Amino acid sequence: MKSFINDLMFPIKELQAFFSKRLAASIIVTVIAAVSVCLLWGLTAAAITALAVAVLFFGLKLYRFYGSNSLVSMALSLILSVFTANGLKELLPVSENSAVLGTVCLSALIFLLLTLFFGIFLYYGASDKLNFKGLGKLALGGGAMLFILFVFIPCDSYVNNFSDFNFPLTAFIFILLGRFFLYLLPFAYLGAVLKENQAGILFNILCGLTLCFYAQFMFMNENLGLVMGEEVKWEEHLDYGFITLGVWVVLLALPFVLSKVLKKLWKSISPAIPAFVGIIQLVSLIIIIAASENDLFVYRNESMDYQEQFTVSANKNIITFIFDAADNKYFKNILENRPEAFEGLEDFTVYTNTCSVYDYTVASISQMLTGTESIPMYDTQGWLREAWNSEKAEDFYARLHEANYTVNGFMYTDAPVELLAGKYDNASSAKKEIAANRDAIADSIMKISGYRCAPYLLKRFFSIQDVDFKSFVTASDTEYYYTDAAYKEHLTLTKSDSSDNYFIFEHLLGPHPPCDDYIEETVNCLNIVKEYIRQLKEMGLYDDAFIIVTADHGSHTSDFSQAAATPIYMVKEANKTHEKLEITDAPQYHTDFLATYLYAAGLYTEADRDVYGSTVFDYKEGDERERIWYDHTSDDSKPNPNNASCNVYYAYKYTGNDSDLKKLLNDKTPYEIIVKK
C-alpha cells in the first residue's frame, strides 16, 4: 500500500527512464504542441511553435521534468486542461468545422504545460514523505483565492444585478462549487508533496493573489465599464491603471517581505490572512443572500407568451416600438448625416425634445405602461406590484379590453407574471418547461468574475461585451426575439382571425450598450420598423395603424453627471399622411403614454386629463413644460445604472430641452436629492 501511494504521489521512475530518451520525448511534445497551434492559429504559428518547443526542450532539458510527474499530477493536469480548454475555446479563433478537434488539441497543449509545471515543482521540490501540514496550508491559501473567484464574486454579481438574470442562483452555483473544489485539488496536492520551503513560496504567492483580488473588487473597481454596459476608452484611464498595478505589486510582495522580516512568527500567523479574507467573504455572502428581497431560487422565464409576436389585427392596431437606450442625440445625428434612413417614414412626426421619467429599463417600461410616477427605492418588486396594481393601470387596461382590444406585450419589465395577467392577454402564469444551458451560464458569470478581479490594465482583454444571459434560458413554448437580428429574421406578419383590435408593445435591444456602433444600430432598428410598415401596407392595415417609435430611456454612461439622457420619440397617427417627415421641438414627457394610447383608441375624454394627463398632441413647438428626470445611484457618489434597487435619486427639474438638462447635470444642481430613510 505504501509503495502504491508513493507511486501515486511522487515522481515515477519508470517514466523518468522513458523521457530520458530525448528523441521520443521531443517528438511527442513537439507534435502535440504543433498540431494544437496549427488548428488554432495556422501553419505559420505551428512552425514557429515546433521550433520554439525543440529549442526549449533540448536547451533547457525539459524532458527531465516530464519524467518527474506522478500519476496524481498527470490526472489533475488532464482534468484541469479539459476545463481550461473549454473555457478558452470561445476566446480563440477555432473554426466551427474543427471546434471539437481544436478543443481536444488545445486540451493536449494545456496538458503538456500543466505537466511541465507540476514536473518542475516535483523535480526540485518533492519531499520524501507526505506533508500534511503543507497540504492544509496550501489548501487554505488556494481556497481563499478560489472562493473569491468561483463563489463570492459570481453570487455577489448575481444578487446585486438580479433583474438582469432570468435564472436562479442554483443554475450555476453548484457547477462553480464543483470547479472550486476541482481547482483546489492541485494546491492541496502540491502542499502534500512539496518540501517546506517550496510550499512556503507557493503559499506566499497564493496569499498575495488573494489580497490582490480582494483589494481589486472591493476598492479599485471605480469604473467597471463593460459590466455597466458601456464602451470604455481605456487609454483615458492609464494613470489609474498604473496606480492599481502598483498596488498589486505591493500586495504580491507583502507576504514575501513579511516572511523575511518576521521569519518564524510568519509561519504561525500567515494562515490567518487567507482565513480572515475567506471568513469575511463567507459571512458577506450569507448576509447578501439572506438580505435579498428577491426570490433567488426560481426561474423567471414563464411570464409572457410570444406565439403572437408577429400577429396584427385585421381592424385597428396601436403599435409601439421601443429601441432600448436609443438617445435623442442618435436621431439628431441621423437626421443631419443620414436623412435617407427616414425614407418611408414620412407620415411620422419626430419629437426632438422628450424626457423619460427614469434612466433605466425596469422602471421606465413599467412607468410608461402603468402611468406611475412613484420612485423605486430598495424594493423594486414591491414598487412593481404597486405600479401594476394601481387603480390607474387597472382602469386603463380594462377600458382597452372593453373597447375590444387584444393587448399583447413583448417586453422586458422584470414584473412577475401575475401582475400582468388580466392586463396583457399574452401573460400566462402557467408553469412552462424550462431549458437552461447551465454550463454556459456558469462560464459567462465566471467571465464577469474574472473581469471584476482583474487589474484595471487587463480588464480590456476580457470578452464580456456579447454575454447575453437571458439567451441561455428558454421556455419550451415561447420564442423571445429581444435582439434585433433575431426579430428581423422572424419578422413575418400574420393577420388575426378574430375581430379584435390589437394593442402591441414591441421591445427591441436596439443601441443598448454594449454596442459597436450606436448610430448604425439605431438605423438598423428603423429598418425593422420600415419592414413592419411595408408588410402592414401589403395587408391593407397601415392607414388605420397608430404607431409610436420611442425608447425607454436615453444613453448610459459611467458618469451620469455628464449624461443628459433623453429618449427618441416619433409618432404616426392613424389615417393621417404627410408629404415629408415632420420634426418638432414640442416638449414631450413619458408620463403621456396612457393618455396617448386612449386617444389612439378613440377613448380619451377631457375627464381623463385629471387622471391620465396630457397626450402627445397637447404641446406644440415653443411651449414651455416643466419635467423631472430622475438619475438613480447606489450611493451618494457612485452612479450604478444596473442596480435598480438603490437608496438615492437625483431629481432634475427643467422646462427647456436636453441642453438645459445637461447644464443642470454639469452644474450638479438637482431640484431634489431623494434619500431612502
Side-chain angles (χ1 to χ4, degrees):
M1 178 61 69
K2 183 177 180 181
S3 175
F4 175 71
I5 293 176
N6 285 336
D7 284 342
L8 284 175
M9 301 295 291
F10 297 109
I12 301 174
K13 296 178 182 180
E14 289 77 7
L15 282 177
Q16 180 76 47
F18 171 77
F19 278 102
S20 294
K21 299 176 182 179
R22 304 182 185 186
L23 181 60
S26 176
I27 291 174
I28 292 172
V29 175
T30 304
V31 168
I32 293 178
V35 171
S36 302
V37 171
C38 178
L39 284 170
L40 295 170
W41 293 288
L43 288 173
T44 302
I48 295 173
T49 300
L51 179 62
V53 168
V55 171
L56 286 173
F57 205 84
F58 287 100
L60 300 179
K61 298 182 179 179
L62 297 181
Y63 55 86
R64 296 179 300 169
F65 305 131
Y66 284 107
S68 295
N69 275 290
S70 71
L71 291 177
V72 170
S73 65
M74 286 190 289
L76 286 171
S77 296
L78 182 61
I79 295 171
L80 293 175
S81 63
V82 172
F83 272 90
T84 307
N86 186 59
L88 290 176
K89 65 181 180 182
E90 295 180 4
L91 307 178
L92 297 171
V94 182
S95 67
E96 292 184 4
N97 294 332
S98 62
V100 175
L101 185 58
T103 303
V104 172
C105 288
L106 180 61
S107 300
L109 182 59
I110 295 172
F111 173 75
L112 288 173
L113 295 175
L114 286 174
T115 52
L116 177 62
F117 167 77
F118 281 126
I120 291 173
F121 265 88
L122 293 173
Y123 187 86
Y124 289 111
S127 176
D128 57 351
K129 60 181 180 179
L130 294 179
N131 181 3
F132 291 103
K133 185 177 179 181
L135 184 154
K137 192 172 182 179
L138 283 189
L140 179 62
M145 180 188 71
L146 294 174
F147 187 81
I148 292 174
L149 284 171
F150 286 88
V151 183
F152 181 80
I153 296 293
C155 291
D156 177 73
S157 300
Y158 174 82
V159 174
N160 286 314
N161 298 279
F162 179 75
S163 62
D164 292 335
F165 308 110
N166 58 347
F167 49 83
L169 186 66
T170 51
F172 65 87
I173 189 58
F174 295 116
I175 292 176
L176 295 187
L177 282 173
R179 295 181 185 181
F180 165 77
F181 287 111
L182 178 66
Y183 282 95
L184 185 60
L185 289 177
F187 299 114
Y189 165 68
L190 289 173
V193 301
L194 289 179
K195 297 175 184 176
E196 186 175 354
N197 288 341
Q198 283 77 1
I201 293 172
L202 185 55
F203 174 81
N204 287 345
I205 294 173
L206 293 174
C207 193
L209 285 173
T210 300
L211 293 174
C212 288
F213 290 153
Y214 181 75
Q216 181 66 49
F217 81 81
M218 283 293 294
F219 309 110
M220 297 189 295
N221 276 341
E222 186 174 307
N223 183 355
L224 277 178
L226 295 174
V227 166
M228 294 172 65
E230 64 172 279
E231 186 176 355
V232 181
K233 295 181 179 179
W234 299 102
E235 63 277 4
E236 295 180 1
H237 305 282
L238 288 178
D239 52 347
Y240 180 73
F242 282 112
I243 291 172
T244 57
L245 185 61
V247 174
W248 270 67
V249 172
V250 170
L251 292 178
L252 283 171
L254 183 61
F256 290 94
V257 173
L258 292 177
S259 65
K260 293 295 183 183
V261 174
L262 300 179
K263 295 183 179 179
K264 291 185 178 180
L265 181 61
W266 171 250
K267 293 181 181 180
S268 301
I269 66 172
S270 58
I273 294 178
F276 178 71
V277 173
I279 290 172
I280 288 178
Q281 299 308 294
L282 180 60
V283 172
S284 299
L285 180 61
I286 294 172
I287 293 174
I288 288 172
I289 293 176
S292 175
E293 297 182 358
N294 298 306
D295 192 342
L296 307 178
F297 304 102
V298 297
Y299 284 94
R300 295 175 292 121
N301 198 44
E302 72 271 17
S303 60
M304 309 299 282
D305 182 351
Y306 295 91
Q307 293 183 20
E308 280 201 329
Q309 180 149 23
F310 300 115
T311 301
V312 294
S313 171
N315 297 312
K316 187 171 184 178
N317 292 282
I318 300 174
I319 304 165
T320 302
F321 283 96
I322 298 293
F323 303 169
D324 206 309
D327 200 282
N328 183 48
K329 61 188 177 186
Y330 305 156
F331 261 19
K332 289 182 177 180
N333 182 295
I334 296 168
L335 286 167
E336 181 179 353
N337 300 307
R338 299 175 63 177
E340 68 277 5
F342 286 92
E343 291 178 1
L345 302 174
E346 288 78 12
D347 293 334
F348 281 83
T349 298
V350 175
Y351 296 90
T352 60
N353 181 11
T354 300
C355 177
S356 63
V357 180
Y358 305 111
D359 59 4
Y360 60 102
T361 300
V362 172
S364 287
I365 294 292
S366 287
Q367 185 278 316
M368 294 161 68
L369 295 176
T370 66
T372 183
E373 294 181 51
S374 63
I375 302 172
M377 299 291 281
Y378 280 128
D379 182 13
T380 300
Q381 293 300 312
W383 177 84
L384 288 168
R385 286 192 295 272
E386 181 182 333
W388 285 95
N389 288 331
S390 67
E391 185 177 342
K392 184 191 294 187
E394 295 283 356
D395 179 68
F396 171 76
Y397 289 103
R399 289 173 66 179
L400 279 183
H401 283 112
E402 288 170 5
N404 201 36
Y405 273 88
T406 290
V407 181
N408 285 335
F410 311 100
M411 69 285 190
Y412 172 62
T413 65
D414 198 40
V417 59
E418 59 266 20
L419 294 183
L420 279 66
K423 301 176 180 67
Y424 280 81
D425 294 289
N426 66 321
S428 171
S429 59
K431 293 295 182 182
K432 301 168 185 175
E433 183 182 348
I434 296 294
N437 188 338
R438 294 170 178 263
D439 288 329
I441 291 172
D443 291 342
S444 297
I445 209 160
M446 276 304 302
K447 290 181 183 179
I448 305 296
S449 179
Y451 181 82
R452 289 184 65 184
C453 286
Y456 195 79
L457 292 177
L458 297 182
K459 290 187 188 296
R460 69 182 72 186
F461 301 111
F462 283 79
S463 178
I464 64 173
Q465 297 95 320
D466 299 325
V467 174
D468 180 11
F469 284 102
K470 289 185 171 59
S471 68
F472 300 141
V473 180
T474 56
S476 59
D477 59 345
T478 66
E479 291 182 275
Y480 188 24
Y481 305 125
Y482 179 53
T483 59
D484 307 335
Y487 189 94
K488 193 172 185 179
E489 177 186 351
H490 293 84
L491 178 50
T492 302
L493 299 182
T494 58
K495 191 183 299 185
S496 173
D497 294 331
S498 75
S499 60
D500 285 5
N501 303 313
Y502 267 54
F503 176 96
I504 302 168
F505 196 90
E506 300 276 11
H507 185 181
L508 300 178
L509 183 61
H512 191 289
C515 180
D516 294 333
D517 189 326
Y518 299 113
I519 301 300
E520 191 62 39
E521 190 53 50
T522 304
V523 171
N524 181 48
C525 289
L526 285 174
N527 289 334
I528 288 175
V529 173
K530 288 193 284 188
E531 174 59 23
Y532 200 105
I533 287 174
R534 185 192 69 77
Q535 294 187 35
L536 285 178
K537 288 180 177 179
E538 281 188 352
M539 293 187 288
L541 302 176
Y542 171 74
D543 291 339
D544 285 339
F546 186 99
I547 305 174
I548 295 176
V549 176
T550 186
D552 48 348
H553 55 78
S555 61
H556 277 161
T557 72
S558 60
D559 183 359
F560 271 33
S561 65
Q562 301 299 317
T566 56
I568 62 168
Y569 196 26
M570 56 191 288
V571 178
K572 179 258 176 194
E573 286 191 73
N575 300 306
K576 288 191 178 181
T577 60
H578 303 157
E579 289 186 4
K580 64 177 183 178
L581 185 74
E582 294 187 353
I583 303 172
T584 176
D585 200 39
Q588 300 301 331
Y589 199 16
H590 269 15
T591 56
D592 301 340
F593 274 94
L594 297 192
T596 299
Y597 289 142
L598 290 175
Y599 172 89
L603 304 175
Y604 187 76
T605 67
E606 276 302 310
D608 289 321
R609 191 172 298 276
D610 292 336
V611 178
Y612 294 102
S614 56
T615 74
V616 67
F617 308 109
D618 289 334
Y619 288 87
K620 307 302 179 185
E621 187 159 356
D623 288 350
E624 286 194 353
R625 185 181 188 185
E626 186 175 83
R627 293 164 293 175
I628 299 176
W629 181 71
Y630 293 96
D631 168 19
H632 82 292
T633 71
S634 56
D635 58 40
D636 289 337
S637 60
K638 297 179 181 178
N640 181 2
N642 280 337
N643 185 6
S645 298
C646 53
N647 55 358
V648 179
Y649 279 82
Y650 292 88
Y652 293 93
K653 181 187 290 186
Y654 67 106
T655 56
N657 54 28
D658 55 355
S659 298
D660 298 287
L661 176 58
K662 185 170 185 177
K663 186 177 186 305
L664 291 175
L665 269 68
N666 288 340
D667 294 341
K668 294 181 172 59
T669 53
Y671 156 73
E672 184 180 10
I673 299 177
I674 305 165
V675 182
K676 176 71 176 181
K677 301 298 184 183

